[in-house]
Amino acid sequence: ALATWLSILLLTLLAPCPSSLPTGTISCQDVFRTVFTRQGQHQHCLCPEETPLCRGSHCSTGHEHCNDPQELNQCHVVHGYETTCEDCHCVPDNEKHLRQPQQLFTSMTGVEGQISINFVVQGRHETPSVHYGHTAIDLDHVVEATERIDHDYDRLDYTIWIAIIEAPALSTVYYRAFNGGDSTMLHHLQVPSSKHHNATLGICGDIGLGWSAPMVTEALKHDETLDLMIQPGDISYAFTIEGMNTFLDRMQSLTSRVPYLTLLGNHEADRKPVLKAYLARFPNDILAHNSHAPDQRYYSYDAYGIHFAILDSMQDMSPASPHYQWLEKDLKAAAERRKANPAAYPWIIASYHYPMYSSHNRKGDPGKKAQLKCMRDSLEELFMRYKVDLAITGHDHVYERSVPVYQGTENPDGIVHLTVGTGGHNIYSTWDAQPRYTAYRLAEPGYGRLQVQEDGSLHWEFFEVDIKPCKRMTIGGNKDCPTHVVQQSHGSYKPRTVLRDTATYKPRTVL
């Protein structure tokens, strides 16, 4: 059997690429290393370059299956999920699939009425653009996209593009991203308002690609209530740019319809190629520019009456640092605006990766307590001075909600801390004794919803994502099980969610 397989592989590699390919295949003109599937026959021709073509958004509509040993590892991603020959069907069925923009996500710019549309093009690009309008059949506005340069992406034959569209706040916009004459499917989203308005914000950090993350990602994608998605660091856990590409492929059906806001985690900041790719892929430089921040690693924006101050907890935040000085100016301006117009801007929230308060016991990390103290010493007095309401963090792979707290003690004028590092990457299971400031804690995968309500209050909910039929690895499960379950459903799995914690907060009385 091995000899037969080797002879088939040798003949395949030596065979010249056919000059005319059957219907249902792609051409070789873009000169990538790729796999050509003759529909129903699984015969292959390998192009000479080393970059693999197969990506999650390139999956064939024909759903061909691998029956040949030679196909192993040639076609390795299905709808953003790594796979093997047991379920391998992601060869593009024509060149159109290859040329369409991929890894589509939307974000904010910090300017009222603007949305950024972000995507990549693999291979040859031809005037990438976004066509949009206020009905599904009348995309009468066209914005030419601007290229964002990253030479590591050049190595993979990708180019990164951004187009900024403009529409009234709270209006619904329909759009397609184009590469020449080839486009994505039609998408739509609501343009956020900076002022108070009913909305639901998804909150989830530390997602990644493995462990329970596929289930959490699917739960988020099936939540039709979300108007905004916020991820407080550790985005993809990618050790390579390819991993970040796979993650953005996987998130596309969510982030194409709700603006997606991210901040740096240690897993982005600690790896130079991933940090470089993160800064190129996410348009936080635009948010920083529009909030007068001197560094794109931190910024602020307004959404639905909430002022969000987004920080980089890996950087120096001592009082003399540019980071701290910008933050103080930003919070002071937000506090003064709230005092002048509390109905329109009732809330101030800070979000960053490392928590200030956490009762999770991270084994093997003797520096954790010093890190918590450092965060409190750097920021707590500043937050109290300008009456920050909530702090949203990740990093610890657990859920924990505090009461209003100041200097480790419950205080009605203090800050509520929400740690939501529950995106599924290796959920932790060990705790210190529960402190008095902790209102609720849970070591299960899941995500939060922050609802801005009509009366100005915020209603918080945390949902556990049930990963059955899988079990967490810490209780005897297989960490790859969630990936396989989602994979076998061809990316349409809807896990059960269970409401575990709720809280409602009224706006401060600002004098």
Side-chain angles (χ1 to χ4, degrees):
L2 178 60
T4 302
W5 178 81
L6 287 172
S7 64
I8 292 172
L9 178 60
L10 182 61
L11 287 171
T12 302
L13 291 171
L14 293 176
C17 286
S19 56
S20 62
L21 297 168
T23 303
T25 64
I26 62 173
S27 76
C28 214
Q29 63 188 1
D30 288 289
V31 198
F32 310 122
R33 176 174 183 258
T34 186
V35 184
F36 294 100
T37 300
R38 298 178 189 272
Q39 204 163 16
Q41 297 181 15
H42 307 294
Q43 297 174 6
H44 293 77
C45 169
L46 302 182
C47 286
E49 297 298 321
E50 289 303 315
T51 303
L53 170 67
C54 205
R55 296 282 185 259
S57 56
H58 281 154
C59 290
S60 162
T61 56
H63 288 182
E64 298 88 358
H65 289 269
C66 292
N67 294 322
D68 243 326
Q70 74 190 58
E71 294 176 298
L72 183 62
N73 296 327
Q74 296 294 334
C75 183
H76 67 284
V77 177
V78 176
H79 297 295
Y81 291 91
E82 293 182 2
T83 186
T84 66
C85 271
E86 295 175 359
D87 184 15
C88 181
H89 53 252
C90 59
V91 178
D93 61 7
N94 55 47
E95 188 181 345
K96 182 181 178 69
H97 287 173
L98 168 66
R99 287 173 47 78
Q100 291 171 348
Q102 306 165 51
Q103 301 169 30
L104 184 69
F105 71 92
T106 61
S107 191
M108 296 174 65
T109 70
V111 175
E112 179 87 351
Q114 287 188 351
I115 289 290
S116 68
I117 312 294
N118 307 268
F119 55 91
V120 299
V121 171
Q122 186 172 17
R124 191 175 67 249
H125 58 82
E126 183 183 342
T127 319
S129 61
V130 171
H131 297 215
Y132 71 101
H134 294 290
T135 68
I137 59 173
D138 190 14
L139 306 183
D140 54 352
H141 296 78
V142 180
V143 175
E144 190 171 323
T146 302
E147 186 176 359
R148 293 172 65 86
I149 303 298
D150 185 299
H151 294 297
D152 289 331
Y153 272 84
D154 293 346
R155 172 180 61 80
L156 297 177
D157 210 12
Y158 277 105
T159 47
I160 306 168
W161 300 88
I162 182 171
I164 295 176
I165 66 174
E166 296 186 347
L170 303 177
S171 65
T172 298
V173 172
Y174 296 82
Y175 73 93
R176 293 178 187 268
F178 278 80
N179 178 32
D182 300 306
S183 77
T184 63
M185 64 183 289
L186 183 70
H187 298 280
H188 70 278
L189 81 163
Q190 176 180 275
V191 180
S193 170
S194 63
K195 297 179 181 179
H196 170 254
H197 193 273
N198 293 1
T200 301
L201 286 56
I203 311 287
C204 188
D206 301 79
I207 298 178
L209 294 166
W211 308 83
S212 305
M215 297 284 201
V216 176
T217 302
E218 291 302 303
L220 285 164
K221 285 156 65 172
H222 281 90
D223 191 333
E224 297 292 337
T225 71
L226 301 183
D227 299 299
L228 199 70
M229 177 65 201
I230 298 170
Q231 187 172 351
D234 285 0
I235 310 303
S236 64
Y237 282 85
F239 291 89
T240 64
I241 296 172
E242 291 88 338
M244 185 175 288
N245 291 343
T246 300
F247 177 80
L248 289 171
D249 271 329
R250 188 180 292 189
M251 293 288 284
Q252 181 172 260
S253 65
L254 170 67
T255 57
S256 60
R257 64 179 171 84
V258 300
Y260 180 39
L261 283 303
T262 65
L263 59 88
L264 272 172
N266 57 297
H267 282 273
E268 289 80 46
D270 291 349
R271 295 175 175 85
K272 190 174 291 186
V274 176
L275 174 61
K276 191 163 173 279
Y278 171 87
L279 296 175
R281 293 306 308 276
F282 293 96
N284 297 345
D285 54 324
I286 297 172
L287 286 154
H289 173 79
N290 289 329
S291 55
H292 311 292
D295 189 326
Q296 69 184 94
R297 294 166 64 134
Y298 47 90
Y299 58 90
S300 65
Y301 62 93
D302 301 307
Y304 301 109
I306 304 171
H307 180 76
F308 286 94
I310 305 302
L311 311 180
D312 177 7
S313 50
M314 278 65 67
Q315 279 200 13
D316 178 14
M317 286 190 285
S318 62
S321 68
H323 193 180
Y324 184 98
Q325 292 177 2
W326 166 82
L327 176 62
E328 182 166 25
K329 290 178 183 177
D330 184 80
L331 292 180
K332 181 179 180 181
E336 289 173 350
R337 185 181 60 177
R338 174 167 62 180
K339 185 175 181 180
N341 193 352
Y345 303 102
W347 297 96
I348 300 175
I349 293 178
S351 188
Y352 43 95
H353 188 58
Y354 291 153
M356 193 181 294
Y357 287 93
S358 172
S359 63
H360 161 252
N361 182 345
R362 180 175 292 190
K363 293 182 178 179
D365 185 3
K368 183 189 173 180
K369 285 184 168 51
Q371 183 186 80
L372 295 172
K373 183 177 185 301
C374 178
M375 293 299 295
R376 291 194 297 271
D377 290 348
S378 297
L379 297 174
E380 192 168 33
E381 291 295 335
L382 188 64
F383 286 2
M384 289 293 289
R385 187 183 315 152
Y386 295 109
K387 296 181 170 53
V388 171
D389 300 290
L390 283 82
I392 297 173
T393 63
H395 190 58
D396 286 347
H397 298 180
V398 293
Y399 168 64
E400 187 166 12
R401 175 175 62 86
S402 80
V403 298
V405 61
Y406 173 57
Q407 293 185 346
T409 304
E410 184 173 359
N411 184 316
D413 296 321
I415 300 145
V416 173
H417 294 263
L418 299 170
T419 299
V420 195
T422 51
H425 185 85
N426 187 20
I427 299 298
Y428 300 152
S429 57
T430 55
W431 299 96
D432 291 326
Q434 183 164 328
R436 290 187 177 182
Y437 64 71
T438 296
Y440 188 89
R441 63 186 188 179
L442 181 70
E444 297 289 350
Y447 69 98
R449 287 200 309 215
L450 188 65
Q451 297 172 330
V452 183
Q453 300 191 316
E454 186 71 36
D455 64 356
S457 62
L458 294 180
H459 181 67
W460 170 255
E461 300 173 319
F462 180 80
F463 291 88
E464 177 190 343
V465 174
D466 186 350
I467 67 169
K468 289 186 181 66
C470 304
K471 294 190 298 184
R472 293 208 336 261
M473 189 174 178
T474 52
I475 54 174
N478 181 339
K479 74 173 185 177
D480 296 322
C481 177
T483 296
H484 294 152
V485 170
V486 174
Q487 194 181 89
Q488 290 160 14
S489 72
H490 304 300
S492 61
Y493 186 77
K494 184 178 181 180
R496 185 174 73 103
T497 58
V498 183
L499 180 62
R500 292 299 190 195
D501 185 35
T502 66
T504 300
Y505 304 103
K506 298 293 184 182
R508 293 178 186 264
T509 301
V510 181
L511 302 177

